[in-house]
Amino acid sequence: MTARPTPVTATVRSNKSMNDTVVNATYTEEAARLVASIDQDPWGSVRPSLYETARVISAAPWLSGEPRRIAYVLNEQAPDGSWGEGPERYRLLPTLSGVEAAVAVLRRGGTSEETARRLTTAVDSGLAALRALPSAGPWPDTAAAEILVPSLVAKIHEQLTLIGDDPPPSAGDWRPGPAPALPGGYDRAVPAYVAKRYASAGGLPVKLHHTFEGVAGCIPGALIPDGPDLLGSSPAATAARAAASQEPPAATVAALEAVARRYSGLFPEAAPILVFERLWVAAALAGAHLPAAAVPTVREWATDLYDPRGVRGAPGLMTDADDTAMAVLVSSLVGLDDHTPDPLDLFHNGSHYDCYIGEDTGSVTANAHALQALGSYLRRHPGARHTYGPRTEKLSDWLVGQQRPEGPWPDKWHASPYYATARCVAALSRHGGDRAAPAVETAVAWTIDTQRDDGSWGIWGGTTEETAYAARILLSAADPRPGHAPALDRALDRALDRAETYLHEGAGSGHHPALWHDKTLYAPGAMIEAEVLAARELLRTRHGLNGRNTPTDAER
């Protein structure tokens, strides 16, 4: 495969050979700076959540800084009356949350006439936006939507009834419109059913702590989880727990105020996210090369985060296979040989890994990360092949079986198939062997076919994040192999050139659309920056890496 030369800025070439490692000083500096900035931030780089902030407004009027939160909710409403990011189906839950919070503030009173006027307008347009949404699914597979949506619809019905019976003076002669119907695909009985199920079992499982606000009104007081920290790493869940108390515990107030200080009075859907952020950033940068200055910090992260009992993504969450696999992988990449894959055994179900105990739907990205972790460990410890070799083969076969016929893989943790496909291709191209080769080639062909005219990729529009994932898919097959059709090589090369141009021109914007699934869509900023930074470096240096003459850190 031939490729046009690319401009090189601030580079050092070893022996002036295109086949030697090309070290980009700009990449090295930016990657080291990113690692250092993450190391100094105990919370993580993620934007505030409209859904979460509105839930805190509704449940915790006693928390300082409410005017800032009310203004944020009002200012975030779209012209069509909806709230949230992404296509209309993703706006259902944030819009329900925004409407309910606005009505709750109106009912409490105490706002200025101008704020009350804006709130009534927001409620009217929000209700209209809910009526305009599709009447039935399919709805996005976001966290606990089957509980949160019916719960919020019921809350809005209750709030609108109360405010209709006793309108606040600040609202003047305003009266609310009809309450929204429960969209098709949801069951209004689910929150009470879930609460009753676990009440009879004598306890609420940890997996429901993160979305506790959805069942808070149905749980007996004796079963409400206690503790001084954020419940399930969620401000909304924590505020709902505090609302069940006659007097909010001082420790709970302090925990919420600490998050509010970090996010200027607002709230993200999870805090902190440092486990997820540090592991994903380290793995992304290692895919190009970890700067020497960053290696001690990443090694320290891996030492702190690896746990033989399993790794949890944030305090108060369950241990899960995804974070555990990434902790094993990052440990392997920085030479922590005593961090074995043994903790993954907790999640193995015979053919693949459950993301967490009690999981309803599987995750291909968690299993792709597990395959990478096992494969990377086996490269360094071939003597463990009798233990992990058969499991690696079985896991590879399972991943291949999850691929869609046209080429991509879907996943529940991300709206875009480019994320999951990049993860699966990375794992299968390195550790899947010949049996996985057809799946990788199908994914590559699909990726080439779906590139946009401007050189980008994206499920709803071109983004630098998705373009970085797509570039990584193509780079996994960028070295010529026996049997490759020259036409495919040329198409692949052209696609990579166009991706390189797009990422170079789009770098530095600092804003990334929300594509990740939690309760609603969110964007882990530092992790996305690491993916884009590493993809740009690999694209720039690919001419010297063809044929795998110089392996990346993640391949060593």
Side-chain angles (χ1 to χ4, degrees), residues 220-535:
L223 295 185
I224 295 175
D226 58 9
D229 300 322
L230 293 180
L231 178 62
S233 194
S234 164
T238 306
R241 179 183 65 185
S245 306
Q246 291 185 342
E247 182 76 21
T252 297
V253 176
L256 287 170
E257 286 180 339
V259 183
R261 283 194 298 272
R262 168 61 175 81
Y263 291 96
S264 302
L266 310 179
F267 295 92
E269 287 191 16
I273 64 164
L274 64 86
V275 176
F276 163 78
E277 181 176 81
R278 292 179 177 188
L279 292 174
W280 266 247
V281 165
L285 295 178
H289 62 82
L290 274 176
V295 171
T297 300
V298 172
R299 185 174 285 121
E300 188 174 310
W301 292 350
T303 300
D304 291 342
L305 299 178
Y306 177 88
D307 191 325
R309 299 165 298 180
V311 179
R312 61 191 78 240
L317 299 183
M318 299 178 69
T319 58
D320 67 87
D322 207 7
D323 289 282
T324 301
M326 290 295 269
V328 173
L329 175 61
V330 172
S331 295
S332 178
L333 296 178
V334 294
L336 295 174
D337 292 339
D338 57 331
H339 289 184
T340 73
D342 290 354
L344 280 169
D345 293 348
L346 300 167
F347 309 99
H348 199 261
N349 62 20
S351 64
H352 61 284
Y353 294 90
D354 291 328
C355 203
Y356 52 86
I357 307 302
E359 182 180 43
D360 295 323
T361 55
S363 166
V364 297
T365 57
N367 281 278
H369 293 151
L371 180 56
Q372 285 186 285
L374 293 173
S376 180
Y377 185 81
L378 286 174
R379 285 176 184 267
R380 298 177 61 87
H381 303 87
R385 188 161 298 277
H386 67 283
T387 301
Y388 295 113
R391 185 168 293 185
T392 299
E393 293 175 2
K394 188 176 291 188
L395 183 53
S396 175
D397 290 342
W398 183 85
L399 282 172
V400 169
Q402 304 307 305
Q403 187 180 29
R404 290 185 174 172
E406 62 272 22
W409 279 266
D411 193 56
K412 65 180 179 180
W413 299 124
H414 204 287
S416 173
Y418 294 103
Y419 171 70
T421 303
R423 290 319 207 235
C424 290
V425 166
L428 292 171
S429 63
R430 292 172 190 158
H431 311 297
D434 292 340
R435 291 186 299 182
V440 172
E441 291 180 0
T442 302
V444 168
W446 169 78
T447 303
I448 292 173
D449 288 344
T450 56
Q451 189 173 28
R452 294 175 176 268
D453 290 342
D454 62 356
S456 70
W457 282 268
I459 185 173
W460 302 317
T463 69
T464 55
E465 179 186 356
E466 292 166 282
T467 301
Y469 298 141
R472 296 294 287 269
I473 295 168
L474 300 186
L475 285 164
S476 297
D479 52 321
R481 304 174 188 171
H484 261 211
L488 175 60
D489 286 342
R490 289 193 295 271
L492 191 151
D493 200 38
R494 286 195 300 271
L496 288 171
D497 283 344
R498 295 168 64 206
E500 184 176 6
T501 299
Y502 179 85
L503 288 177
H504 177 74
E505 293 175 349
S509 65
H511 180 83
H512 300 283
L515 295 168
W516 291 75
H517 282 181
D518 191 359
K519 302 174 195 177
T520 60
L521 292 173
Y522 74 104
M527 196 288 300
I528 297 170
E529 289 296 331
E531 291 285 351
V532 173
L533 187 59

Side-chain angles (χ1 to χ4, degrees), residues 144-213:
E146 72 280 4
I147 297 173
L148 299 177
V149 168
S151 174
L152 271 174
V153 170
K155 281 181 176 292
I156 291 174
H157 276 256
E158 178 185 0
Q159 294 277 30
L160 290 179
T161 298
L162 291 171
I163 204 169
D165 293 341
D166 185 20
S170 59
D173 58 0
W174 172 81
R175 295 295 181 272
L182 183 69
Y186 294 106
D187 185 341
R188 70 182 69 255
V190 167
Y193 169 78
V194 170
K196 182 179 179 180
R197 173 186 173 189
Y198 290 111
S200 63
L204 195 68
V206 176
K207 77 171 187 174
L208 288 181
H209 287 189
H210 184 61
T211 53
F212 174 75
E213 68 272 18

